Amino acid sequence: MQLEAISSIIKKIFLKSRIYSYNTGLVLSGGAARGFAHLGVLKALHEKGMVPDIISGVSAGALVGSLYSYGYKPEEILEIFIKNRIFKFVKITFNKRGLFNISGLNKLLQKYLGTKNIEDLEKPLVITATNIKEGTTEYFTKGNLVDAVLASSSIPVIFNPKEINGEFYVDGGVTNNFPVEPLKDICNILIGVNVNPVSGYDPKKGLAHIALQSFHLSIASGIEEKKKFLKYFIEPRELKNYAYYDIASGKEMFEIGYKETLKVISGN
């Protein structure tokens, strides 16, 4: 038997016998209001008995992941989003670092998450953000939870960078909108959710749409390569019909995520 074949057999035996730190890991992408679909995914996973043991999230995925890891149920988070119209807190400031200020979102997160640290959550959580000075991806697993979520969600130009310990951070999706890396070697089953399928460009929607569309096109690359680490990949294509800040359609996107997850898990 050739040496390569023997090596391959040994590798397969090792992988099958390996003891992982967590059984089920869940990766949640960015996608602004399309993150409502993440909640539908979580509801379906609960019904299937596939409750995540650890979550890796970025931007909208970090927002959902923080509330879920804190202890809120998917349906409770949905009500929080709808009741508070989560993006109504965005304030136009027109300062030199960003067009908008998310101080309102900060207050909302403080209300529901308090001063909790990431390492004290009920479920382990990894939050992805981009260090704008160094141009690097950073994964937060400890420290102030609200600060990390705000850093992960600060879309460049649209929002002010978030300062943490003297460093400035923008949306984690700039460098990694599908943060599989922190979980790929520590989970027996890895599930990935991308709520940002590439959609068409509509010139009638204005500058904000152009900025967001360009941003999400740039971060869509690399997902295909990462899918090899997943047992299940969930990407509801219907979400491309919804705008990034379409809060009014939150329940619809929730149902889309729920139905797509049941479909993917059942293999239909």
Side-chain angles (χ1 to χ4, degrees):
M1 185 178 291
Q2 294 183 347
L3 182 60
E4 292 81 0
I6 295 175
S7 177
S8 178
I9 292 173
I10 293 175
K11 183 177 181 180
K12 289 180 180 179
I13 293 174
F14 170 77
L15 290 174
K16 287 183 178 181
S17 61
R18 181 176 177 179
I19 299 176
Y20 292 91
S21 300
Y22 303 95
N23 184 45
T24 304
L26 180 64
V27 179
L28 301 177
S29 77
R34 294 173 178 177
F36 275 101
H38 284 320
L39 300 173
V41 171
L42 284 166
K43 178 185 177 182
L45 291 178
H46 274 247
E47 290 183 0
K48 288 293 184 178
M50 301 176 67
V51 178
D53 300 301
I54 184 171
I55 293 176
S56 175
V58 59
S59 198
L63 177 59
V64 169
S66 65
L67 290 162
Y68 178 73
S69 296
Y70 186 89
Y72 293 103
K73 297 178 181 178
E75 294 88 346
E76 291 175 330
I77 302 173
L78 176 64
E79 289 306 311
I80 289 172
F81 283 3
I82 292 174
K83 176 183 177 181
N84 294 280
R85 293 188 60 80
I86 198 163
F87 290 102
K88 79 176 182 180
F89 294 102
V90 174
K91 298 179 180 178
I92 298 178
T93 58
F94 293 104
N95 61 50
K96 64 182 180 180
R97 291 193 296 173
L99 295 179
F100 300 90
N101 182 287
I102 50 177
S103 61
L105 178 58
N106 184 11
K107 292 179 181 178
L108 179 66
L109 292 178
Q110 294 286 355
K111 176 181 178 180
Y112 288 98
L113 299 175
T115 57
K116 200 108 175 161
N117 286 330
I118 301 171
E119 63 268 30
D120 297 325
L121 292 168
E122 289 188 9
K123 288 181 181 290
L125 174 67
V126 182
I127 297 176
T128 301
T130 299
N131 186 313
I132 191 65
K133 180 181 178 181
E134 303 297 331
T136 55
T137 301
E138 292 191 20
Y139 302 110
F140 289 88
T141 57
K142 61 182 180 179
N144 186 274
L145 175 60
V146 171
D147 284 349
V149 173
L150 291 174
S152 182
S153 306
S154 296
I155 300 173
V157 181
I158 303 297
F159 300 125
N160 294 326
K162 174 64 179 176
E163 183 178 1
I164 300 177
N165 298 326
E167 298 288 340
F168 289 90
Y169 296 90
V170 295
D171 196 302
V174 171
T175 52
N176 190 352
N177 198 49
F178 198 59
V180 169
E181 291 81 357
L183 305 189
K184 67 183 179 66
D185 294 320
I186 61 174
C187 297
N188 181 33
I189 298 172
L190 192 54
I191 302 167
V193 187
N194 178 36
V195 297
N196 187 49
V198 177
S199 58
Y201 162 63
D202 185 351
K204 298 178 182 179
K205 292 186 177 180
L207 290 176
H209 170 72
I210 294 173
L212 285 171
Q213 179 71 1
S214 300
F215 173 63
H216 284 292
L217 281 173
S218 69
I219 61 179
S221 61
I223 290 182
E224 284 300 318
E225 178 64 20
K226 295 181 181 184
K227 286 165 63 174
K228 67 182 181 182
F229 298 110
L230 308 174
K231 182 169 184 179
Y232 299 106
F233 177 65
I234 301 166
E235 185 184 60
R237 301 300 300 173
E238 291 178 62
L239 293 177
K240 67 181 181 179
N241 299 321
Y242 295 84
Y244 295 117
Y245 291 98
D246 188 2
I247 304 301
S249 300
K251 287 187 177 180
E252 293 178 28
M253 289 185 276
F254 177 93
E255 288 299 322
I256 288 172
Y258 173 75
K259 292 177 181 178
E260 181 67 16
T261 302
L262 294 179
K263 178 181 176 182
V264 171
I265 298 299
S266 64
N268 296 327

